[in-house]
Amino acid sequence: MATTERKPLLLDFEKPLAELSNRIEQIRQLAEENGVDVSGEIRKLEARATKLREEIFSTLSPAQRVQVARHPRRPSTLDYIQAITDEWMELHGDRCGTDDPALIAGVARLGGQPVVMLGQQKGRDTKDNIARNFGMAAPGGYRKAMRLMEHANKFGMPILAFVDTPGALATVAAEHQGAGEAIAYNLREMFSLDVPIICTVIGEASSGGALGIGICDRLLMFEHAVYTVISPEGCAAILWKDASKAPQAAMALKITSHDLKNLGIIDQILPEPIGGAHSDPLEAATTLKQALLDNLDELKQLTSQERRQLRYDKFRKIGVFTEIPH
């Protein structure tokens, strides 16, 4: 992960924090220039800033969580892989003529054990995002992922997938290349794999693009990540013909980690540093690594047949509802 100091990118609801931080810095500079000891006052202001940060991030609305999940400096798949693995070797190509940079995959060692890791990869800036298709994988990306998952299954390596995409690439070319077929094939085949599969939603996870690598035994999700069948903007445009109603759509879609845990869709919420994963990427990576190791230890105690049944039962329960008579 990058360690160079950069000016933070502020979200709208973070402005009060920025103003307070600037005030603290101004007081500190004035005190140094005039030789005045104001350490007690600064400690009080810093405690106030910490409390304010906790209050803000503990009461985020679904729409605000979408902003955090999309933060351009939120740790990406490659950031996490490089931070938590002992070794990592990226592998390329779907063996059908393409190598999609929006979906990366490879072999690694996690806690000394060989694993296959894969996930969508967003860019850091406009140029990088264009090269990565903004994390929207083409059919070749899903075929590359499946090739590596079959490799993992053949050699008995657990599969760790990181989901972070606004959706699969939606272009005419992608449709010509069989986008729907590639995702559907992955859905079917992932249910039959013998090895443990753990998926983690690390940022924004939308539509079939997310589900194309999302069939798993355990589904983990970072606290401020979002997981949804359609983006709030897309939902608002369809239902109300007005994208400005995205906050209303975000509320109705139940896309937050706590909503999805209550609905039984995800298995575990991974706490983020106060201020979001982008405020302390190494702490977020440490949390992720420990959760992956703990879940792997549990899943390896099961037989392959038990894991497949667990996987099947997990997804059969999604969408079950009870009708209440009037």
Side-chain angles (χ1 to χ4, degrees):
M1 292 188 183
T3 57
T4 56
E5 186 174 348
R6 296 177 297 182
K7 185 177 179 180
L9 297 176
L10 292 176
L11 302 173
D12 291 342
F13 54 84
E14 291 181 301
K15 289 180 181 178
L17 282 169
E19 293 170 359
L20 186 53
S21 296
N22 290 337
R23 181 181 171 189
I24 293 171
E25 189 58 32
Q26 289 171 0
I27 292 173
R28 183 180 283 112
Q29 289 178 357
L30 286 172
E32 290 176 356
E33 291 171 1
N34 294 280
V36 179
D37 182 11
V38 292
S39 56
E41 287 77 5
I42 288 178
R43 280 196 297 271
K44 291 178 182 178
L45 287 172
E46 288 176 338
R48 181 180 168 189
T50 299
K51 184 177 180 181
L52 179 60
R53 185 179 296 275
E54 291 174 349
E55 290 174 353
I56 288 174
F57 278 86
S58 64
T59 58
L60 293 178
S61 69
Q64 289 171 331
R65 289 180 189 271
V66 172
Q67 293 182 58
V68 177
R70 293 173 176 172
H71 197 288
R73 289 180 183 163
R74 190 171 176 86
S76 68
T77 294
L78 279 175
D79 288 332
Y80 282 124
I81 288 175
Q82 291 166 358
I84 69 177
T85 59
D86 308 316
E87 296 178 66
W88 159 250
M89 178 181 293
E90 184 176 355
L91 300 176
H92 298 274
D94 64 349
R95 300 300 184 264
C96 296
T98 65
D99 179 40
D100 185 5
L103 202 155
I104 59 100
V107 293
R109 286 188 183 275
L110 179 70
Q113 57 186 315
V115 295
V116 162
M117 292 185 167
L118 54 98
Q120 289 96 358
Q121 177 65 32
K122 293 182 177 179
R124 277 282 173 253
D125 51 33
T126 301
K127 182 179 179 181
D128 194 18
N129 260 319
I130 291 172
R132 297 278 185 184
N133 284 328
F134 293 84
M136 297 183 291
Y142 291 101
R143 294 183 178 117
K144 175 170 64 174
M146 195 66 241
R147 180 176 74 83
L148 267 293
M149 286 189 276
E150 290 171 345
H151 175 87
N153 197 55
K154 180 177 180 179
F155 292 100
M157 294 187 287
I159 298 167
L160 307 178
F162 304 101
V163 185
D164 187 19
T165 180
L169 187 63
T171 64
V172 173
E175 291 301 319
H176 285 169
Q177 294 164 14
E181 184 275 339
I183 292 174
Y185 182 84
N186 283 19
L187 298 182
R188 185 188 71 186
E189 294 301 306
M190 290 182 77
F191 275 109
S192 68
L193 298 178
D194 293 324
V195 295
I197 308 175
I198 302 174
C199 295
T200 307
V201 179
I202 62 174
E204 175 187 20
S206 292
S207 193
L211 200 57
I213 58 169
I215 304 301
C216 55
D217 309 318
R218 296 282 172 83
L219 179 56
L220 318 182
M221 186 172 177
F222 270 105
E223 180 182 2
H224 299 309
V226 294
Y227 197 6
T228 175
V229 69
I230 187 174
S231 71
E233 294 84 358
C235 177
I238 291 171
L239 293 184
W240 296 290
K241 312 299 182 185
D242 183 359
S244 68
K245 292 188 180 292
Q248 183 177 342
M251 179 72 73
L253 285 167
K254 305 296 183 185
I255 62 178
T256 70
S257 58
H258 296 285
D259 285 331
L260 295 170
K261 184 70 167 65
N262 290 336
L263 291 169
I265 293 174
I266 67 169
D267 300 297
Q268 183 178 348
I269 298 174
L270 306 184
E272 297 190 23
I274 299 173
H278 61 279
S279 67
D280 192 341
L282 290 178
E283 181 182 335
T286 300
T287 299
L288 173 62
K289 182 176 182 178
Q290 190 59 55
L292 292 174
L293 290 173
D294 290 345
N295 280 278
L296 274 177
D297 286 343
E298 293 178 12
L299 290 171
K300 287 193 298 184
Q301 304 304 314
L302 305 177
T303 66
S304 58
Q305 183 176 353
E306 288 172 333
R307 284 194 294 266
R308 288 196 303 271
Q309 188 63 45
L310 178 70
R311 207 174 300 156
Y312 175 82
D313 292 341
K314 175 180 180 56
F315 284 87
R316 285 291 293 175
K317 291 177 184 176
I318 294 177
V320 173
F321 61 92
T322 301
E323 290 188 2
I324 301 176
H326 295 289

